[in-house]
Amino acid sequence: MITRMLYQLLNNLHVVEKLAESRPIRRAAQLTAYAITKAQIAGRDASQRVLRSQTLRQVRDEAGKLPDDMGEVSRRLRKVRETFVHEVKEGWKEGSRQIKK
């Protein structure tokens, strides 16, 4: 019964227009648009950082080389891990700096 009444109200053009013109609905729309825009900017920045990433370059370079022995494989993996950890730490610092702004 309640759902039927709600359905009828939401299908009434006059009610929908009144709601759309109300301050809370307009503010919710503004906040939603702001959040979507910020998420798009953050996603774009993150993808650019990944493309500039030294770890990504290293993985590409190392994938093209064939190792001679397991010691070399171990050294390469250690080097990639160290680079990855360094970049995660730098990203963490940069993120905390951006949050403080």
Side-chain angles (χ1 to χ4, degrees):
M1 172 121 170
I2 292 176
T3 56
R4 185 179 302 166
M5 287 175 48
L6 187 60
Y7 182 75
Q8 286 176 342
L9 280 175
L10 291 178
N11 281 328
N12 185 340
L13 183 61
H14 182 68
V15 172
V16 171
E17 285 177 358
K18 282 290 223 186
L19 281 173
E21 293 172 0
S22 71
R23 183 165 173 77
I25 298 297
R26 283 186 295 144
R27 185 64 180 151
Q30 288 173 342
L31 291 173
T32 303
Y34 175 78
I36 289 172
T37 303
K38 289 296 270 186
Q40 286 174 338
I41 291 170
R44 192 175 310 122
D45 290 346
S47 66
Q48 288 173 353
R49 277 195 307 271
V50 166
L51 291 175
R52 290 190 315 252
S53 169
Q54 184 66 28
T55 304
L56 184 62
R57 260 186 246 120
Q58 240 182 342
V59 168
R60 285 180 184 159
D61 291 344
E62 297 299 329
K65 301 175 186 174
L66 292 177
D68 294 335
D69 61 352
M70 290 307 288
E72 187 175 342
V73 171
S74 175
R75 282 191 299 276
R76 287 182 183 182
L77 288 176
R78 190 176 316 113
K79 185 177 175 185
V80 170
R81 180 183 57 87
E82 289 169 359
T83 305
F84 178 75
V85 168
H86 174 73
E87 287 189 12
V88 167
K89 287 180 182 178
E90 288 300 315
W92 189 270
K93 289 177 187 176
E94 183 180 330
S96 64
R97 274 186 253 131
Q98 288 179 354
I99 289 172
K100 290 178 184 178
K101 288 182 182 179

